[in-house]
Amino acid sequence: MSNELIDFVIVSVALLAIGIYGLAVKRNFIRMLFAVEIVINAANLNLVAFARFLPHSGGQTFALFSIAIAAAEVAVGLALIIVAYRMYKNIDVADFRSLKG
Amino acid sequence: MIELTSTPIIILAILGGVGVALPVINIALKERGSMISYGIATLIALFAAIGYVLYQLALDHVAPAAIFSQDVLVDDAFGSLFAIAMLIVAIFTTVGSFNYMKNKANPSIYFSLILLSAIGMVLVAYATDLVMLFVAWELMSIPTYVLVGFLKKDPISNEAAIKYFLFGALASAIIIYGISLAYGITGSTNIGEVIQGFMVLDANMIPIGLLAVGMFIAGFGFKMGLVPFHMWLPDTYEGAPPTIATLLAAGTKKAGFAAALRVVVMGSVALSLDWTLALGIIAVMTMTVGNIAAVMQKNLARMLAYSSIGHAGYILIGLSIAPFSGIGLQGSLFHILNHAVMKGAAFIAVAGLVTALAVTHVEKLKGLARRMPITSLGLVISLLALAGVPPLSGFWSKLMLFGAAIDAGTVVWWGPWLAIAGVLNSALSLAYYGWIIRKMYFEGEKEKRIKEPKSIIAIMIFSIIFMVTIGVYPEPIIQFTEFATPAINAGLMP
Amino acid sequence: MATEVMATEGEAMYAWLIWILPFIAALIIPAVGKFSKISTGRVAVGFAAMSAISAAVLFPMALEGHEIHSQVDWISAIGLKAGVLADPLSIIMANVVGWISFLIMCYSTGYMKGDKDIVRFWFWMMFFIGSMQLIVLSDNLLQLFFGWEGVGLASYALISFWYRDKAQAHVGKEGRTALGIMEYYSPTHSGMKAFIMTKVGDVMMLAGMFMIFAFAGTFGFKELLADTSWAVNMSAESLLIPAAVLLFGGAVGKSAQFPLNEWLLEAMTGPTAVSALIHAATMVKAGVFLVARLGPLFFALGAAGILADQFFEIIAWVGAITALLLATQGMVNPEIKKVLAYSTGSQIGYMMMALGIAGLSQQFVDGYTAGFFHMISHAMFKASLFMAAGSLLHVVGSRFMTDMGGLRKKMRKTYAFMWAAGLALMGAPFITTGFWSKDAIFAAVYESGNEWALPIFIIAVLTAVITAFYTTRMMGMVFFGKESKHIEKMESEGHHIHEAPRSMWIPYGILAVLTIGIGIIGLSAEENLHHLFEEYLDHSFGIHSSHYIGEDSVLPGFLSGLNPIALGSSLVAFATGFGLGYIFYIGRWVDPAKFINSNIFFYALHKVILNRWYLNALIYWSFVIAPLWASRALWRYFEKTAIDTGMNVGLERAVGWGAKVVQGTQTGVPQSYLYVFGAGLLFVVLILLI
Amino acid sequence: MEYALLQAVFLPLLLSPLAYIIGRKVGHTAATWFTFGLLLYCTVLVITASIDGTYEEHYPWTEIFGEFGLLLDGLAAPFAIMIYVLCTILALYSKPYMLHKFQEFYKEQAPKAVYQSDGTTLESLSEEKFVNRQSGVYYALFLVFAMGMLGTVLATNLIEFYIFFEVMLIPAFLLVGFWGDHPRRRIALMFFFWTHVGAVILLLGLLAIGLNVGSFDFADINEADIPSDVVVAAAVAIIIGLGVKLAAFGFHIWLPYAHGSAPTPISALLSPAMIGIGAYALFRLIVEFLPQTYADLSIWITIWGVATMFYGGAMALMQDDIKRVFAYSSISQMGYLLFGIGSISTLGLAGAEMMYVSHALGKGLLFMSAGILIVQVGTRSLSKLGGLGSKLPITAVCAVIGALTIMGVPPTSGFMGEWMLFYGVLETALEEGNDVRSLMFALGLVATVLTMSYMLWMLKRVFFGKLPENFSKVKEGSWYMLSPMMVLAGFTIVLGIYPDIFLSKIMPYMQGVLGG
Amino acid sequence: MVDTLFLGIAVLTIVSAIAALEMRSLVYGGIALMGTLGGIAGFFILLDSPFVALFQIAVYVGSIAVLILFTIMLVKRELIFQKKEDTKRRYAGIGLMLIVMISLGAVVFNSGISSITTDEPAVDYREIGEDFLIYYWPALVAMALVLAGSVTGAMILARRHDEVEDEVEDEQRTD
């Protein structure tokens, strides 16, 4: 391996930060879903990178789990989007603020 | 490899089997099955599960509070305690739903999701591997995302679900990230090995360990409703169907503590950090924000949601002083069990209100004592128990928590301050609980008694008996929690 | 000869009965009253007589100098005992109280006839007598205090007996003010005033008692005397005089001495029988009795080298000031009962003066006897005067002397008896008890040899002049001159002014006659008393008298025991006072109103005196109005604002504000939430890293 | 006499549902007599148990927090007896008073109950049924309240003590909230909130002590040696917590509201019996268990007591509502208790406890007469009252005896308490040569004059003076109300003349406490 | 060298991540996200984990992203092109992002991770299978339940008509 572990981890941290940024700023539900996916992928990157450098199989296994679960999550998220869209004709999360205070 | 007859596996089998079978049956019956029958099937499964937990406990097949194991799951008293609490909550939810789900679509899916979520909660408590923990965590969470948004025609429900989902997804991602870091520096996903790894960590790796612990706090703290990760919580609890709010407040929240205990506390101890103060600060923030925000809430469900934030703070007291006082963790466990019943009963009472009267607004509760005496009584008793008024069960666990905090004062200066913040907060909480009691009992004279849902009555009676009995004679539960409490310093080694 | 005699059971029983009987009567009277209101009077008089007889039975013992000390367990948890101590002092006192009370009770059967609250009256009268006898006979301070407060309570109840506050039951003139304080008091107000003012003295007395108890560990008089180490200790910490003075404070309150004298005047709102009882037998005499009880005790400490001179000086001066202060006010007051009340205060001042001066002289027994003798004689003539005044009120229906006048023809008996008693009060020479007792006081003061003797003597003589004057004035205004418009109006309305009923005049007649009768043998009576007390003091307290006065007297014969200067002053004082009074009120040669207005000095003096030297007003301003203002200010600006609003509303608002702030952060926008989540993550990580 | 105390404490609790049922099914009178009989039985149990000196019962409870015990010693016996005696007679007293109250409520509510918002007509509840229902609830709560108070003074374990301490609050809160006077809801909440805050602060102190000792049982704590830094903090927490209960100056604001608003039988329990339990706890927790700290803090307790005495008295002068006068008077009286507790002297402490007893008697009488005024006259504003002595003679006599008890005039029991506690303060002042204590003693004496002033003024404005014309038809109260008052009035005088009834228990205890 | 490859993939990943969030059109954003996911898969290959990389491409790029794209297509055109977050929030977000990036980066960079390299061969992916079946099997079962739950849940939510509810609605309409 010519690349060092730190390289991958730094990329992962950058992706994490971008993901958090997306969640904190974006109003479109779908984009927020993008952001979540970016964070999960950052974590997966970390896992696999660590797994390679240890080296140990557990990280890869976990990455597989994590990918599958992310898929499940996305499915539910998208279903919620569809419900919301059906009701409001809108997927701007910032407009979903009847619950507050 | 874990024994096939161990408690978590059997629960997984029973509940998972029924959980998967219900939708299948539904399809087989062309969606014509009656809600009650699905409900009863669910209930039977849950009772079987809880029965098995108790059976295993009674037969001493359960390890006493062994917090680690070589396997992904461990059949210990700690997990059993949580399992009992979670299953009780699941039973509450199921029974409460009998009336709530009347004339609502897709009961089979609804009950199946409750079962799946219950499995998740139970497995979180039993998990001793980070992967298992994470999968169980998601198994607990994902069905609840759906359940919160289950009322498709209700914009509020959907909004609650979206907020919940966004937070949940982010929190899951953060947890994976944390796990990845912990895995990266210790080379294992088994919690025992991770902790051991933490203990022998190079000095220059410790920041990564801290980072991991911080991410666990954030990720699990989201479920626990710790400030500042609590923002979704009141919105979701308010918007969710009240039965599901029960599940969230009384159930999944506790799973957060189980996870935090296994991972955060142990990890922190292993890292020999000065983490306790951080948790203490969060505890005080949490209880203060929760209780203050609960004052003047107009919506009963929302008020209870804030109150459950407050209670997260109390429970966290026990965690934060766990290394200094023997009874701190014990108090936390006791309070978790109590809170499951108390908050569960309160939310189920709300469900009863919604079913029978379609109100959650506090002003509309006037004269409730006349309209629904048993529900009101259950609500009052659970509120008083939540406030820690003796001789109700809540008192004892708070007593142990605050006592532990004072006890810790001999080691750390801020220990007693936690207790002071705690008692002042529980006094403050009386202000809004009292307000509800006032509305129900002291106001409104015109109301006539209406028919209360039987399922709600059953739950109310059970919880009243539980709260009062434990309040008067808490010894069995105290003993059990003692049995279930891991010794924090000595028990680090697997 | 005066040896310690262990009293027989029976004699001790009599001593107990003296004070228990009235209480028993008080208990059964309400029950009797349920069936027959009239019988309550009979029960009361009967029990009063039984009590008096019990006292009389013990009288021979007193003459022999014997004493009875009988105790029973009381508060055994603290080791306190209750008991009676019947020594000559208390037996004589018990007789005076018992018999005079008995007469007053007889009088009351007539005076109170037909009152619908008669049962309450008898109850409290008996309670009053019982409490007084309890004071007299108790053998320790705590038990004495029970009686002490009992008389206070009874006086409260009886002064405000006519609690419906009808106009004729008030005292003072409606609308008159001094320094903005109304000089017009309702019965309920007066009762409160009396109770509270005497309570001020009582708490001082309590403090004194406690100080002594703290050192001596006992309240008992006998025990205190038996071992005087407590006094040595107290004196070492210079607490003895304060304790003694505090005890005297109780006497000041009860006996209406300066500066706690003001309640006595308003006490006139009660039925006249009550006034008679308060002034002659019970309440105000309690203070004198207390001083007589404790004075020898403190004087006897001199033997242990502990001087209590300051204590006696204070007593003497308080007595002297009170005597003069109240006598002056008696000169100008238009209400007959108030004149008598002022007179009482003034006379009690004499007694205090004598008892105080006793402690300052070598011959303790002289002043002691003088004071006590004056008390006895005062009890007789003042009871008589009050009852007679009650008759006048009863007949005329007004408390103002200006509403009377010219009654000597219409009420001959009363006229005669009042002269007799009045002369005793004036100190008419040789035939009245008042003369002998006053003379004894003058002599004791004059001979005490103390540095203060002369000023006090001058005050005493001056007071005697004034006493004679106001008594003459009273007689003149009531019985001489023309009939007042009030009486003319009454007669024109068909009321016939006539003598009071027999049940009323007989009691005060008896006392008036006794006054003169004992007056005739007054000197020997005093000598006997002197002798008795000399032995009593010697035996009980170890106070010896070195010689007997008058052995080298310049006066001849039967007067040889007297001090010529005192005797002379006494005669001159009587003559001056009576003469002046005769000029203004009996002869009516000079119009007093013109005389006062003739001179700015007299006018001012009259006004000051009429306004009670402004003492009452000052007391009201500083102890009633000022505290009320303070309370009101505290209530308005502290309790209601700071505490109530601040703590309840303020706390509520603060929490509400906090709730608003916290709820304000909960905007409902998911992005904000997520932002906070991210920031929180950072925060947690940073905390952990730091 | 096995389980005597257990019965005395728990029978009222266990049978309170029965009281409810009897009230509801049989009627008001039956519920009254049932409650009365039950409490009478329990009172007899307590008294017989207390006759032969110290009496104890122990039952297993929890491992961590110790056992469940009931102890009737020299300290607890007078408290316990007074509490149950008051409860017993007030059960009887409640009958006419609460009947009046229920009927008042019925008039307020019943006409509205006929129609519902949706237009349907309800069968209107008959007055009798309404009263029966309400009285069922009332007596059930009454019994629980009694049980809570008794349990508090009998507890032998810190936690047990705290539990009872709070348990008595709940029924009191409900009683005020259900049948108090306007604005009852707010006041009930305020009352609950304040006292609960006090209680939790107390709890902190209890926990600190218990955990330091390692046991919560009184017996262990009494023998234990606790590090001083913990003790002072704990003692301060306990004193503040109990200060709220005692309504000491600064923490008193809930009391005038609560006592003014509560239905009078409950006022007559709250004020004399309940708040004084704070004093009991001070005895037990501070004086007995933490003697050293007690010695250090006693001067402050005394000063606090004097401030409370004056403040309560001054405020009582300013009130127009008769029940608020009594409420402030209670504050002032609690100042006396604090004052006495602050004296480190056997007699002072014994006096303070006697003061509790006599305050219970006196204030009970006064509140009960206020109740008669409310029922018979219909107003409690002092400016509207007057001259009622002729219309309500027995009430007036009882009120005067009550007032005398509060004023501390012999031969009422008030004097017995007062002289002992004042003497105690002076004794310590002289022993220590402490000028502050001497000053406090003097001020305390002045405060008695203040007490006397407001009491006499109150009597004057209620019973004396001119009778307003609209009161010319006022009748004396029912015997249900008068006879309990007469019992108390008699008792206060008997106790005033022969205080050994209680002192013979109290003194040995106090000597033991201070001697040790 | 591989370094350039790494750099290239890193730039691709990060830039497309930013683009996914910032592009005006949601559709292009979705495609950019696929770039990110693909980039991650590239990293996996760099890390000698072809199995995971394959899985990543199959599950993520193949199904999730497509699913997302379909969903995007479902919603209205205006919504797809809307971009209206307010500037303040945006700057705050960027600030937070930078702080997180820098602080976490600094932590990571200063820790022991910065010097880890390895020359050991990558693990055999048969080990993964063994892990699954021997150690993680309960987790696998649980995950199956997760998937089952999410699928049924998502289906129920996304389904347009619920029979019971419709019946109720009909009943209400007839009222």
Side-chain angles (χ1 to χ4, degrees), chain C residues 250-325:
Chain C
V252 168
K254 274 283 177 302
S255 288
Q257 297 296 288
F258 176 81
L260 297 176
N261 54 355
E262 294 298 337
W263 66 267
L264 187 68
L265 298 319
E266 269 66 65
M268 292 305 114
T269 51
T272 308
V274 173
S275 307
L277 200 60
I278 288 179
H279 288 242
T282 52
M283 182 108 168
V284 294
K285 296 288 154 48
V288 181
F289 178 79
L290 182 72
V291 176
R293 226 333 151 222
L294 293 173
L297 183 64
F298 285 101
F299 188 78
L301 293 176
I306 304 159
L307 286 179
D309 277 6
Q310 288 145 316
F311 170 56
F312 290 108
E313 276 170 20
I314 288 173
I315 297 178
W317 270 109
V318 165
I321 292 170
T322 314
L324 185 63
L325 194 73

Side-chain angles (χ1 to χ4, degrees), chain C residues 34 73-78 80 116 124 127 142 145-150 153 156 160 163-167 170 186 188-189 191-193 195-196 198-200 203-204 206-215 217 219 237 239 627-636 638-640 643-645 647-649 651-652, chain D residues 186 190 193-194 249-254 256-257 311 313-315 317-319 324 328 331 347 387-391 394 400 404 407-412 415-416 418-420 422-423 426-427 430 441 445-446 448-450 452-453 456-457 459-460 463-467 496-500 503-505 507-508 511:
Chain C
K34 277 273 161 221
D73 278 347
W74 182 27
I75 315 177
S76 45
I78 315 176
L80 291 182
K116 61 178 173 181
W124 283 113
F127 188 84
L142 192 69
F145 197 81
F146 265 67
W148 196 257
E149 289 285 307
L153 181 58
Y156 164 67
S160 46
Y163 65 85
R164 291 177 184 81
D165 286 353
K166 290 180 181 133
H170 284 55
S186 65
T188 50
H189 187 151
M192 264 172 75
K193 185 177 174 183
F195 205 13
I196 293 172
T198 53
K199 177 81 176 179
V200 172
V203 297
M204 296 207 280
L206 264 183
M209 273 166 59
F210 290 164
M211 284 163 86
I212 290 174
F213 185 65
F215 282 88
F219 287 118
E237 295 189 31
L239 285 170
L628 274 177
W629 275 4
S631 297
R632 186 165 294 126
L634 208 57
W635 164 245
R636 280 210 187 127
F638 186 69
E639 174 79 359
K640 265 167 124 173
I643 303 251
D644 197 349
T645 315
M647 284 183 140
N648 280 331
V649 182
L651 207 65
E652 202 178 300
Chain D
R186 202 184 138 74
M190 186 204 283
F193 188 64
W194 270 96
F249 173 60
F251 302 127
H252 64 274
I253 189 60
W254 60 271
Y257 284 102
Y311 194 77
M315 291 305 103
L317 275 176
M318 287 298 114
Q319 303 303 316
R324 278 181 78 98
Y328 275 109
I331 295 175
L347 276 179
L388 288 165
S390 55
K391 294 288 172 191
I394 300 175
V400 168
L404 293 176
M407 287 187 263
V409 174
T412 60
F415 176 69
M416 272 303 155
E418 223 168 290
W419 84 258
M420 284 165 69
F422 274 98
Y423 171 72
L426 181 73
E427 189 187 24
L430 291 178
F441 169 73
L445 284 177
V446 176
T448 61
V449 179
L450 180 64
M452 192 156 180
S453 312
L456 290 178
W457 198 28
L459 287 177
K460 171 172 152 60
F463 294 110
F464 308 139
K466 291 189 177 60
L467 184 74
I497 294 170
Y498 189 67
D500 259 8
L503 272 183
S504 59
K505 291 188 185 27
M507 284 303 292
Q511 275 154 358

Side-chain angles (χ1 to χ4, degrees), chain A residues 35-55:
Chain A
V36 172
E37 290 309 317
I38 290 169
V39 178
I40 292 175
N41 274 284
N44 285 346
L45 177 56
N46 246 356
L47 276 173
V48 177
F50 281 123
R52 174 67 188 86
F53 282 82
L54 280 169

Side-chain angles (χ1 to χ4, degrees), chain A residues 13 16-17 19-21 23 39, chain B residues 167 170-171 173-175 177-178 181 210-222 226-230 282 285, chain C residues 673-689, chain E residues 96 99-101 103-104:
Chain A
V13 166
L16 171 72
I20 288 176
Y21 158 79
L23 280 167
V39 178
Chain B
F167 263 84
L170 177 58
I174 298 286
I175 291 171
Y177 209 99
L181 292 176
L210 291 176
L211 207 54
V213 170
M215 286 184 165
F216 287 141
I217 291 178
F220 297 130
F222 132 84
L226 302 186
V227 173
F229 314 116
H230 70 288
I282 295 178
M285 269 170 34
Chain C
Y673 295 6
L674 288 160
Y675 191 89
V676 172
F677 187 106
L681 170 65
L682 209 59
F683 168 76
V684 169
V685 168
L686 290 182
I687 285 192
L688 287 175
L689 286 173
Chain E
L96 180 66
I99 296 173
V100 169
M101 216 183 269
S103 55
L104 296 194

Side-chain angles (χ1 to χ4, degrees), chain D residues 13 24 32 34 38 137 148 160-161 208 222 265 330 340 375 402 404 434 455 470:
Chain D
L13 179 69
R24 193 166 176 151
T32 306
F34 171 73
L38 178 58
V137 181
E160 185 195 348
F161 167 81
N222 213 353
S330 295
V375 173
L404 293 176
N434 190 330
M455 270 300 163
N470 50 338

Side-chain angles (χ1 to χ4, degrees), chain C residues 30-205:
Chain C
V32 173
K34 277 273 161 221
F35 308 105
S36 152
K37 276 192 178 175
I38 308 241
S39 343
T40 53
R42 290 179 198 139
V43 170
V45 172
F47 272 87
M50 277 152 68
S51 166
I53 290 166
S54 306
V57 167
L58 294 177
F59 196 70
M61 258 187 59
L63 294 180
E64 287 163 27
H66 292 172
E67 68 175 33
I68 297 169
H69 189 201
S70 153
Q71 286 185 315
V72 293
D73 278 347
W74 182 27
I75 315 177
S76 45
I78 315 176
L80 291 182
K81 289 185 170 187
V84 290
L85 177 62
D87 53 3
L89 175 72
S90 53
I91 292 175
I92 295 173
M93 187 73 189
N95 272 293
V96 173
V97 173
W99 287 109
I100 291 185
S101 310
F102 167 67
L103 288 174
I104 294 172
M105 296 305 267
C106 296
Y107 171 82
S108 303
T109 54
Y111 186 78
M112 295 302 289
K113 192 179 263 173
D115 195 295
K116 61 178 173 181
D117 292 325
I118 189 78
V119 178
R120 184 156 53 90
F121 179 81
W122 291 123
F123 172 82
W124 283 113
M125 290 296 267
M126 292 317 290
F127 188 84
F128 211 160
I129 296 167
S131 300
M132 186 63 199
Q133 297 286 30
L134 176 58
I135 293 178
V136 171
L137 288 161
S138 65
D139 76 329
N140 66 67
L141 275 168
L142 192 69
Q143 193 188 340
L144 182 143
F145 197 81
F146 265 67
W148 196 257
E149 289 285 307
V151 295
L153 181 58
S155 70
Y156 164 67
L158 286 170
I159 290 170
S160 46
F161 178 75
W162 283 314
Y163 65 85
R164 291 177 184 81
D165 286 353
K166 290 180 181 133
Q168 68 261 32
H170 284 55
V171 296
K173 198 163 186 180
E174 195 166 2
R176 243 185 65 77
T177 58
L179 288 182
I181 303 296
M182 289 280 280
E183 292 285 345
Y184 183 62
Y185 296 93
S186 65
T188 50
H189 187 151
S190 309
M192 264 172 75
K193 185 177 174 183
F195 205 13
I196 293 172
M197 272 184 110
T198 53
K199 177 81 176 179
V200 172
D202 296 349
V203 297
M204 296 207 280
M205 180 174 162

